[in-house]
Amino acid sequence: MSGMASDRSNSSQEEYIPHYLQKEDPFASKLSREADIIAGFYLTIIGILSTLGNGYVIFMSSKRKKKLRPAEIMTVNLAVCDLGISVVGKPFSIISFFSHRWMFGWIGCRWYGWAGFFFGCGSLITMTAVSLDRYLKICHLSYGTWLKRHHAFICLAIIWAYATFWATVPFAGVGSYAPEPFGTSCTLDWWLAQASVAGQAFVLSILFFCLLFPTAVIVFSYVKIILKVKSSTKEVAHYDTRIQNSHILEMKLTKVAMLICAGFLIAWIPYAVVSVWSAFGRPDSVPIQFSVIPTLLAKSAAMYNPIIYQVIDCKFACCRSGGLKAKSSLKKSRTYTLSAHRDSAAMNETQLE
């Protein structure tokens, strides 16, 4: 019986033909022209906002590059990844949506798929490194005493090497990049899992090393941070002002990192679910109109981060300005009290004379 089942699975894998080989033109749009135009306008707005926002973050960071803390260096790297997705990838898909077909052939498809996966993987691994940094900084205080800027740059080199390896593996014949079912975008060839055991091994490896494992590290790190913060809030209140200010800054950086990770995962998890469904579910079971929505949502992830930076920075600046105003008013009241005391003393001396 087991032999018959394996024969059936093998025969089904041999009979399966991916969507991009079922028709002569795999790059023709399967959506209506109106839907393509709406998607094109949507991606244009996302691309402009993402380019301006991440470009602004990089520009402002470059003005104080020698003063950037290790955690801030990592967030700048995240902005570089998001800017790369916006500049390198989005023009291809925008032009294709407006043209109602993919315009750049198989070479452009593979380049677009590689660039999207490279910068997307770089973003997720950067956030994984940031979450580990926050975890060690908050939960293991001795870690912060030896962490230097050059450690952050070593970490960046590892991140880029990791993303380059996994994005380039498909070109070694292990996997591939292919057009999306709706025709006007390209991605990893998830459908290889329907064709062979080697394709299943490739897809599972990508899912584990480029999604599940980094996400597990991120969730673990921030759960531990939340538990630690709840238990240590009262302890910090007994420290002097310098330590309290340092704690406030670390918590600010942690909030930024948590919000960025949450935004990224919310944007990409629906796409990952649909991809897994396409890879291991019934062939062609994902409706084409349904598959385009998670793709567009994932492409918007690069827009969120600059907004998060600005919201947290403005809130932090308001807190600091409020504290400075309070200190200034307190200083003024002390000066006024001293001067009034001196004036009253002078008047008493005059009356005695």
Side-chain angles (χ1 to χ4, degrees):
M1 294 293 290
S2 60
M4 294 176 61
S6 62
D7 291 339
R8 288 177 183 175
S9 63
N10 291 333
S11 62
S12 63
Q13 288 178 347
E14 291 175 359
E15 292 173 0
Y16 174 72
I17 301 176
H19 64 274
Y20 51 86
L21 296 178
Q22 293 176 2
K23 297 181 180 180
E24 294 183 0
D25 188 2
F27 300 121
S29 176
K30 311 305 186 297
L31 304 174
S32 65
R33 185 171 293 275
E34 292 77 12
D36 276 334
I37 292 175
I38 292 173
F41 276 115
Y42 170 80
L43 289 181
T44 301
I45 295 172
I46 294 295
I48 292 173
L49 293 177
S50 175
T51 301
L52 294 176
N54 288 291
Y56 175 77
V57 170
I58 295 170
F59 172 73
M60 294 303 294
S61 300
S62 66
K63 296 175 67 175
R64 49 184 295 268
K65 57 185 177 182
K66 294 183 179 179
K67 298 181 180 179
L68 291 176
R69 300 157 64 91
E72 293 173 315
I73 293 173
M74 302 302 291
T75 55
V76 171
N77 187 66
L78 185 59
V80 171
C81 292
D82 292 339
L83 184 64
I85 292 176
S86 302
V87 173
V88 176
K90 283 191 173 59
F92 286 82
S93 54
I94 290 171
I95 293 172
S96 297
F97 273 114
F98 282 126
S99 301
H100 197 50
R101 62 174 288 107
W102 178 258
M103 297 295 295
F104 306 98
W106 278 103
I107 294 177
C109 180
R110 293 187 178 99
W111 160 251
Y112 177 85
W114 181 90
F117 185 48
F118 172 72
F119 287 115
C121 182
S123 295
L124 183 57
I125 303 305
T126 299
M127 285 185 286
T128 305
V130 170
S131 68
L132 278 175
D133 171 78
R134 296 291 85 207
Y135 163 69
L136 294 172
K137 186 73 175 179
I138 301 297
C139 300
H140 302 277
L141 299 179
S142 60
Y143 161 81
T145 60
W146 63 265
L147 181 69
K148 306 298 180 184
R149 282 167 57 92
H150 68 271
H151 293 115
F153 290 113
I154 293 173
C155 187
L156 290 184
I158 296 173
I159 290 170
W160 287 112
Y162 191 92
T164 301
F165 172 78
W166 284 108
T168 310
V169 160
F171 293 127
V174 179
S176 182
Y177 293 101
E180 299 267 15
F182 49 88
T184 47
S185 182
C186 294
T187 185
L188 278 169
D189 192 348
W190 301 103
W191 303 271
L192 285 174
Q194 299 281 356
S196 65
V197 176
Q200 292 177 358
F202 164 72
V203 170
L204 288 174
S205 298
I206 291 292
L207 285 173
F208 179 79
F209 289 104
C210 299
L211 179 64
L212 297 179
F213 178 69
T215 302
V217 173
I218 290 171
V219 172
F220 167 81
S221 298
Y222 289 122
V223 167
K224 297 293 286 186
I225 287 172
I226 292 171
L227 295 176
K228 180 67 175 180
V229 168
K230 284 185 177 181
S231 63
S232 63
T233 302
K234 295 181 180 179
E235 297 177 6
V236 175
H238 295 90
Y239 294 148
D240 59 25
T241 305
R242 182 177 60 84
I243 296 178
Q244 289 181 5
N245 290 339
S246 176
H247 179 75
I248 291 172
L249 179 59
E250 294 299 336
M251 291 311 302
K252 175 226 173 185
L253 294 173
T254 303
K255 288 179 182 178
V256 170
M258 290 179 69
L259 289 173
I260 288 172
C261 292
F264 184 91
L265 294 176
I266 289 171
W268 278 97
I269 283 179
Y271 179 78
V273 170
V274 171
S275 298
V276 173
W277 185 3
S278 300
F280 298 102
R282 189 168 53 84
D284 305 325
S285 60
V286 180
I288 292 176
Q289 292 76 9
F290 181 75
S291 67
V292 70
I293 297 174
T295 302
L296 295 177
L297 180 62
K299 293 179 186 298
S300 68
M303 181 188 67
Y304 304 146
N305 298 342
I307 298 174
I308 295 171
Y309 297 146
Q310 294 306 311
V311 170
I312 297 294
D313 280 340
C314 289
K315 183 178 179 181
F316 187 66
C318 290
C319 293
R320 285 189 302 180
S321 63
L324 290 174
K325 288 178 181 178
K327 290 181 180 179
S328 177
S329 62
L330 181 60
K331 190 174 181 180
K332 287 180 180 179
S333 65
R334 288 178 177 174
T335 304
Y336 178 78
T337 303
L338 288 173
S339 61
H341 179 71
R342 288 173 182 171
D343 291 342
S344 63
M347 291 176 63
N348 290 335
E349 290 178 0
T350 304
Q351 289 176 359
L352 287 173
E353 291 177 356

